[in-house]
Amino acid sequence: MDVLFSDMADDALFEFLHMEIVAHVYKEHATRDDIDKERVTCISTLEAMGFRVGQGLIERFTKDCPTFKDDLDIMKFLCKDFWSTIFKKQIDNLRTNHQGTYVLQDNKFALLTQFSSGKQYLEEAPKYLAFSCGLIRGALSNLGLESVVTAEVSLMPSCKFMPFI
Amino acid sequence: MDVLFSDMADDALFEFLHMEIVAHVYKEHATRDDIDKERVTCISTLEAMGFRVGQGLIERFTKDCPTFKDDLDIMKFLCKDFWSTIFKKQIDNLRTNHQGTYVLQDNKFALLTQFSSGKQYLEEAPKYLAFSCGLIRGALSNLGLESVVTAEVSLMPSCKFMPFI
């Protein structure tokens, strides 16, 4: 029972914490007037938190790792080791145009699995992706790659993260 | 390398996220006037977040568990399974007066290990314990025990959590 409890709870701890963070950041802005402006602020706040967590994780864990031979090598590391550690599964598909654009597709993104695929949830999706965009940007930044990371959901709980270096 | 990376990063993900939450909650209050009042508000905010996370974790993971035979049995479960899952080690010492007061001592509490034992850090300690007090209260609440949970640090990074039922 120990092992099972522990395995399930590892995922859940992060998921619940993430929900709390999103809820808290949005709640503290809920009373203000300019809703569209506040939406941007909340997304930035969550993205910045993700950025710092991504930096911290990579900093601590690539100390003893081999150096990477190129950008694609870094991206593969993110899709495999980094993603598995945080989200308990690897990225399902990695594509690139070899000009700095990458598409990381997760067919069952852990932070979206609790939502159904209704349209109202699709509109809410960006706030559950911002932290993770920051995670990727922070990790890349600490590996020497400055990037802009966007995300897109077409059908829940599948989504794409698109770092542009 | 995969396994090592994953093991270390599990701890770190929670630790970094927790730091971000504490920093964020305090930062949003930093500009206000009445510092002592705000300190109480921040502690409550963090405690409430911990409470909900603790409730969620217990709710998800005790579905298939045997029922507990008494309060002490619940407390032992918290000290062992629950604590290990979140903090990667068990509580080192559990005491009770058999009248509803429990003392859970962690000799190396994960969320305090990054601080040294200087006096200035000791003063800061309560803000790093509030979330975890909430975790315990939330877990106990979902197991049918309403409680008040306080915490105390005498020598970093050792601390005591004291649920009173």
Side-chain angles (χ1 to χ4, degrees):
Chain A
M1 196 189 74
D2 279 10
V3 173
L4 251 183
F5 180 85
S6 176
D7 279 0
M8 292 191 297
D10 272 348
D11 310 9
L13 176 61
F14 173 56
E15 283 168 34
F16 285 128
L17 261 173
H18 180 265
M19 290 294 286
E20 281 299 319
I21 293 171
V22 173
H24 180 76
V25 167
Y26 275 79
K27 190 177 144 200
E28 66 181 295
H29 286 280
T31 49
R32 306 198 189 167
D33 288 336
D34 189 343
I35 289 175
D36 279 341
K37 196 178 156 212
E38 289 307 327
R39 188 171 293 162
V40 172
T41 310
C42 290
I43 296 274
S44 308
T45 302
L46 291 168
E47 206 272 347
M49 292 171 93
F51 180 83
R52 288 185 296 269
V53 172
Q55 278 195 312
L57 286 175
I58 280 289
E59 206 169 277
R60 196 178 293 189
F61 305 121
T62 53
K63 281 188 299 201
D64 309 315
C65 284
T67 48
F68 300 101
K69 68 175 202 283
D70 56 21
D71 296 355
L72 185 59
D73 206 31
I74 288 177
M75 217 54 86
K76 284 177 182 170
F77 173 79
L78 285 198
C79 291
K80 210 181 144 196
D81 299 79
F82 188 72
W83 212 253
S84 307
T85 300
I86 300 170
F87 300 111
K88 314 297 167 188
K89 71 181 284 298
Q90 298 183 14
I91 285 285
D92 296 292
N93 192 296
L94 167 65
R95 282 177 296 151
T96 177
N97 66 352
H98 297 286
Q99 293 178 346
T101 300
Y102 294 84
V103 180
L104 287 63
Q105 182 166 332
D106 188 332
N107 294 332
K108 200 181 168 189
F109 183 53
L111 301 179
L112 292 178
T113 49
Q114 65 258 54
F115 303 108
S116 74
S117 52
K119 193 170 174 295
Q120 76 277 28
Y121 292 107
L122 205 56
E123 280 167 9
E124 293 281 282
K127 72 187 198 189
Y128 297 103
L129 300 176
F131 181 87
S132 303
C133 285
L135 276 179
I136 296 175
R137 193 169 68 82
L140 288 174
S141 167
N142 249 47
L143 295 171
L145 300 178
E146 295 309 319
S147 64
V148 175
V149 182
T150 55
E152 164 184 307
V153 179
S154 43
L155 188 67
M156 298 270 218
S158 163
C159 75
K160 290 174 186 167
F161 292 93
M162 291 163 289
F164 175 69
I165 295 165
Chain B
M1 197 188 74
D2 279 9
V3 173
L4 251 183
F5 179 85
S6 177
D7 277 1
M8 291 191 297
D10 273 347
D11 309 9
L13 177 60
F14 173 57
E15 282 167 33
F16 286 128
L17 260 173
H18 179 265
M19 289 295 285
E20 282 298 319
I21 293 172
V22 173
H24 179 76
V25 167
Y26 275 79
K27 191 176 143 199
E28 65 180 299
H29 287 280
T31 49
R32 307 197 187 166
D33 289 336
D34 189 344
I35 289 175
D36 279 341
K37 194 178 157 211
E38 289 307 326
R39 188 171 293 161
V40 173
T41 310
C42 291
I43 297 274
S44 307
T45 302
L46 292 167
E47 205 271 347
M49 294 172 91
F51 180 82
R52 287 184 296 269
V53 172
Q55 277 194 312
L57 286 174
I58 280 289
E59 205 168 278
R60 197 178 293 189
F61 306 120
T62 53
K63 282 189 298 202
D64 309 316
C65 284
T67 48
F68 300 101
K69 69 174 199 283
D70 55 23
D71 296 356
L72 185 60
D73 206 30
I74 290 178
M75 216 54 87
K76 284 178 183 169
F77 173 78
L78 286 198
C79 290
K80 210 181 143 195
D81 299 80
F82 187 74
W83 212 254
S84 306
T85 300
I86 300 171
F87 300 110
K88 313 298 167 191
K89 71 182 284 300
Q90 299 182 14
I91 284 285
D92 296 292
N93 192 297
L94 167 65
R95 282 177 296 152
T96 177
N97 67 351
H98 297 286
Q99 294 178 345
T101 299
Y102 295 85
V103 180
L104 286 64
Q105 182 166 334
D106 188 333
N107 293 333
K108 200 180 169 192
F109 183 53
L111 301 179
L112 292 177
T113 49
Q114 65 257 56
F115 305 106
S116 75
S117 53
K119 191 169 174 296
Q120 75 277 30
Y121 292 105
L122 205 56
E123 279 167 10
E124 292 282 280
K127 71 186 199 190
Y128 298 102
L129 300 176
F131 181 88
S132 302
C133 285
L135 276 179
I136 297 173
R137 193 170 65 85
L140 289 174
S141 167
N142 249 46
L143 295 172
L145 300 178
E146 295 310 318
S147 63
V148 174
V149 182
T150 55
E152 161 184 310
V153 179
S154 45
L155 189 66
M156 298 269 219
S158 163
C159 75
K160 289 175 187 165
F161 293 93
M162 292 162 290
F164 175 69
I165 296 167

